[in-house]
Amino acid sequence: MSNTESSVSEQHKIRLEKLQELREMGYDPYPYDFEVTHKSKQILDHPELIKQDDEDEEDVEKVAVAGRVMTRRIMGGSTFFNLQDSEGQIQVYIRKNDVGKEKYNEVFKRLTDIGDIVGIKGHVFKTGTGETTVYAKEFTLLSKTLRPIPLPKEVEEDGETKVYDAFTDKEQRYRQRYLDLIVNPEVREVFQQRTDMVQAMRDYMNGKGYMEVETPILQPIYGGASAEPFVTHHNALDMKLYLRIANELYLKRLIVGGYDGVYEFSKDFRNEGLSRFHNPEFTQVELYVAYKDYNWMMEFVENMIESVAKALHGSTTVTVGDNEIDFSAPWPRIPMFEAIENETGKNLYRSDLGDLKRIAKELDVELEESFGKGKIIDEIFGEYVEPKLIQPTFITDYPIEMSPLAKKHREKEGLVERFECICNGKEIANAFSELNDPVDQRERFEEQARLRAEGDEEAMTIDEDFLQALEYGMPPTAGLGIGIDRLSMIMTDSDSIRDVLFFPQMKPEK
């Protein structure tokens, strides 16, 4: 057992003893509720709550605050401590003469620890040093903690403030996000910005008259993307089901049903590896709008993301690492094969499978034996082009082999009307002029089935119910998917997808 583990075990034992003593004294260490009237920020932002010297205490507005004890400065019969709630911290002053001898000496001073959750009722005043403080008239222990909070210690050394024991280990922060949120308040801001970003996108789409919907997560046939699914089993129906890899095919069914515009913020699941850009459970928003194409959707995306940047940062410019990213519309539009040729000098348009394998070898791009034309082109693009696209850029006109759900290009043979938005070196959005020809769609599905039989485990399966829906007629439609996690990384200047997920998937602890 390490010294840290030993210390925690000892602390755990001591706190259990304190818990038992509280109960023996007749105090409930876990009461049912506490009515909070004010949050810390609300008090700090409203100086009119502060009691003036000439005011009678009875005339001052009363406050009730609750949160964790984060620091304590005990001075005999009185104590200053910092209380942390969901909005920040505020100082509290508590005296034996106000809350009672036993409540102060026994419950607060001796049996309450750093990290315990308490409730305070009193009024607001300013200390001699000018700090806004809650003067406690009543004290209630709301939750006795049994483990110590890993708070950093600040020590003055050689005229400098040095921090020890900070809770900075990335893996532990991801595994114990609840502690991360307690001791690293800047983390809260990341998740608040993520929520604000999603709300701004929702407001934008609602403002256009599109309807937010829900579609199945458990699906009898997975589709809408090239990915391996998670498999489960429904006992009552005795059938295999899949966690969705995308919600595209169900949203298109709603367009068939007569809706002009539908969108869904969805949890999707892909049985793939972990990286700083990949989590097997992720969030995306998909939008489908009838009577539109991918050209219209490009304008929609750049205008929506521009508005999101303004909502979050008050500007179209966002700092991400060492880069200043400007989301102001319009964004560059570059055909995929042109982008590859610009970086490699190789023209891949109309190349057959043999040519592509030879070129990939010349470019030192590693391939798997099962890779078809689309996968090879995608690997070359990912190696040579994608990492260099820092400013938001639309890469357009993909080969048909890469896009089994996109409409054939109206002018360029062998291509489809598809774009991806690349920003900060990674794809954040994918969109098509959606394929609505049921005969063509069946042929594409059958080609995917052939690739699957040859070993491509991410190739799509044939969805007969979806094909039947298309046979009833789907109008021309533009479809879009935006990765919420990756866009959050950019908007919050986060280095890893795990920084924008409350509870990322982790390898089991040894």
Side-chain angles (χ1 to χ4, degrees):
M1 181 183 291
S2 69
N3 290 335
T4 301
E5 290 171 330
S6 175
S7 174
V8 170
S9 297
E10 183 63 26
Q11 285 275 355
H12 191 257
K13 179 184 175 183
I14 292 170
R15 293 188 184 209
L16 278 171
E17 291 170 353
K18 289 183 178 182
L19 176 67
Q20 182 61 29
E21 192 170 346
L22 282 163
R23 285 176 166 149
E24 289 173 354
M25 292 171 61
Y27 287 97
D28 181 0
Y30 303 105
Y32 287 90
D33 64 355
F34 181 84
E35 178 134 12
V36 175
T37 62
H38 295 75
K39 296 292 183 69
S40 58
K41 188 175 185 300
Q42 183 183 1
I43 293 173
L44 295 171
D45 289 347
H46 289 81
E48 67 272 15
L49 291 170
I50 298 170
K51 178 183 178 297
Q52 303 303 312
D53 292 339
D54 58 352
E55 279 188 290
D56 189 79
E57 192 175 303
E58 295 302 315
D59 297 330
V60 177
E61 183 174 346
K62 304 298 186 290
V63 300
V65 295
R68 291 185 187 274
V69 177
M70 301 300 283
T71 62
R72 290 204 300 183
R73 299 178 298 285
I74 298 174
M75 302 170 292
S78 65
T79 297
F80 283 101
F81 71 90
N82 278 14
L83 179 145
Q84 178 171 292
D85 61 16
S86 61
E87 294 186 354
Q89 291 192 15
I90 191 163
Q91 181 170 266
V92 177
Y93 177 66
I94 183 170
R95 291 198 319 160
K96 175 176 63 178
N97 292 347
D98 294 307
V99 300
K101 182 178 178 181
E102 183 179 74
K103 180 68 73 74
Y104 179 81
N105 286 335
E106 299 300 317
V107 180
F108 173 74
K109 193 173 171 182
R110 190 169 65 84
L111 299 177
T112 298
D113 291 296
I114 300 294
D116 287 357
I117 300 173
V118 302
I120 298 295
K121 292 183 179 180
H123 64 266
V124 184
F125 78 109
K126 266 199 176 179
T127 65
T129 59
E131 184 167 356
T132 300
T133 303
V134 176
Y135 192 122
K137 291 294 184 177
E138 296 180 34
F139 167 83
T140 306
L141 179 62
L142 299 176
S143 184
K144 179 68 192 161
T145 57
L146 301 182
R147 290 176 177 268
I149 303 296
L151 292 172
K153 300 176 182 65
E154 293 187 357
V155 179
E156 290 290 334
E157 294 182 2
D158 301 324
E160 295 183 4
T161 301
K162 295 188 177 180
V163 179
Y164 293 93
D165 299 326
F167 190 57
T168 55
D169 183 88
K170 281 280 190 181
E171 183 164 325
Q172 284 305 113
R173 289 175 62 190
Y174 297 146
R175 291 186 188 280
Q176 295 179 287
R177 181 67 82 187
Y178 44 90
L179 289 181
D180 193 24
L181 292 166
I182 293 170
V183 303
N184 295 315
E186 68 277 5
V187 174
R188 290 175 174 270
E189 181 59 27
V190 169
F191 289 100
Q192 184 61 56
Q193 285 188 313
R194 178 187 170 115
T195 294
D196 293 343
M197 182 192 83
V198 170
Q199 190 58 50
M201 297 173 77
R202 180 175 277 118
D203 291 343
Y204 191 89
M205 288 184 285
N206 287 345
K208 299 294 183 182
Y210 307 139
M211 180 178 176
E212 185 171 8
V213 299
E214 293 181 347
T215 61
I217 293 175
L218 287 174
Q219 300 179 351
I221 298 176
Y222 63 93
S226 297
E228 244 189 294
F230 288 94
V231 185
T232 187
H233 186 269
H234 191 285
N235 292 336
L237 295 176
D238 190 24
M239 66 181 291
K240 184 186 291 185
L241 289 172
Y242 304 92
L243 295 181
R244 69 180 171 200
I245 60 174
N247 46 344
E248 175 170 344
L249 303 187
Y250 282 91
L251 291 173
K252 285 181 180 177
R253 287 171 169 92
L254 297 180
I255 298 296
V256 171
Y259 288 101
D260 284 339
V262 292
Y263 72 92
E264 181 178 15
F265 285 91
S266 62
K267 279 286 188 184
D268 293 330
F269 308 85
R270 297 181 185 176
N271 204 344
E272 59 189 15
L274 301 171
S275 78
R276 71 187 186 96
F277 294 106
H278 295 86
N279 194 69
E281 174 185 351
F282 63 98
T283 304
Q284 65 174 333
V285 60
E286 291 200 36
L287 166 71
Y288 294 83
V289 182
Y291 310 109
K292 306 296 184 183
D293 66 3
Y294 82 138
N295 292 306
W296 176 90
M297 189 61 85
M298 276 186 258
E299 291 188 20
F300 178 90
V301 170
E302 63 192 4
N303 289 327
M304 179 170 69
I305 302 303
E306 179 184 54
S307 74
V308 168
K310 289 178 180 177
L312 266 62
H313 300 286
S315 168
T316 61
T317 302
V318 177
T319 301
V320 183
D322 296 329
N323 300 315
E324 290 287 326
I325 296 178
D326 187 359
F327 286 102
S328 57
W331 301 348
R333 291 149 166 76
I334 309 173
M336 186 183 209
F337 286 116
E338 181 181 317
I340 292 174
E341 187 170 6
N342 289 342
E343 295 298 334
T344 67
K346 307 290 186 180
N347 186 348
L348 306 187
Y349 186 43
R350 298 185 184 280
S351 296
D352 61 23
L353 184 59
D355 289 335
L356 289 172
K357 287 184 175 181
R358 175 182 54 78
I359 292 170
K361 187 174 182 180
E362 291 174 3
L363 297 173
D364 293 323
V365 175
E366 293 185 12
L367 305 177
E368 294 181 17
E369 191 61 36
S370 63
F371 280 6
K373 291 175 61 177
K375 278 288 186 73
I376 296 173
I377 294 167
D378 195 34
E379 289 294 312
I380 294 171
F381 177 82
E383 184 77 22
Y384 281 89
V385 182
E386 190 173 38
K388 298 179 180 179
L389 297 174
I390 303 303
Q391 300 302 322
T393 303
F394 292 120
I395 298 297
T396 67
D397 304 344
Y398 281 61
I400 194 169
E401 294 86 359
M402 292 178 65
S403 313
L405 296 167
K407 207 173 182 72
K408 289 178 181 176
H409 200 286
R410 66 195 80 184
E411 296 172 354
K412 301 175 183 178
E413 185 180 349
L415 306 184
V416 295
E417 296 197 343
R418 171 186 177 183
F419 72 79
E420 287 187 334
C421 174
I422 313 297
C423 181
N424 202 41
K426 278 293 175 183
E427 173 212 341
I428 60 169
N430 186 27
F432 312 147
S433 294
E434 298 294 339
L435 179 54
N436 62 340
D437 178 343
V439 175
D440 189 359
Q441 184 65 85
R442 179 175 291 280
E443 290 173 355
R444 305 270 198 99
F445 277 157
E446 288 172 349
E447 173 62 16
Q448 287 288 299
R450 184 188 66 77
L451 291 173
R452 191 172 187 81
E454 292 179 358
D456 186 349
E457 294 180 346
E458 293 186 349
M460 294 184 189
T461 55
I462 298 175
D463 188 333
E464 291 291 348
D465 183 76
F466 174 67
L467 289 170
Q468 179 175 286
L470 281 189
E471 289 175 352
Y472 284 100
M474 185 177 83
T477 298
L480 166 72
I482 296 178
I484 296 300
D485 305 323
R486 287 189 182 176
L487 185 57
S488 296
M489 288 173 62
I490 292 170
M491 290 294 177
T492 63
D493 189 15
S494 297
D495 184 60
S496 169
I497 195 171
R498 295 178 177 182
D499 293 326
V500 297
L501 301 174
F502 273 127
F503 305 106
Q505 191 68 42
M506 303 287 290
K507 292 180 180 178
E509 287 189 281
K510 293 182 180 178

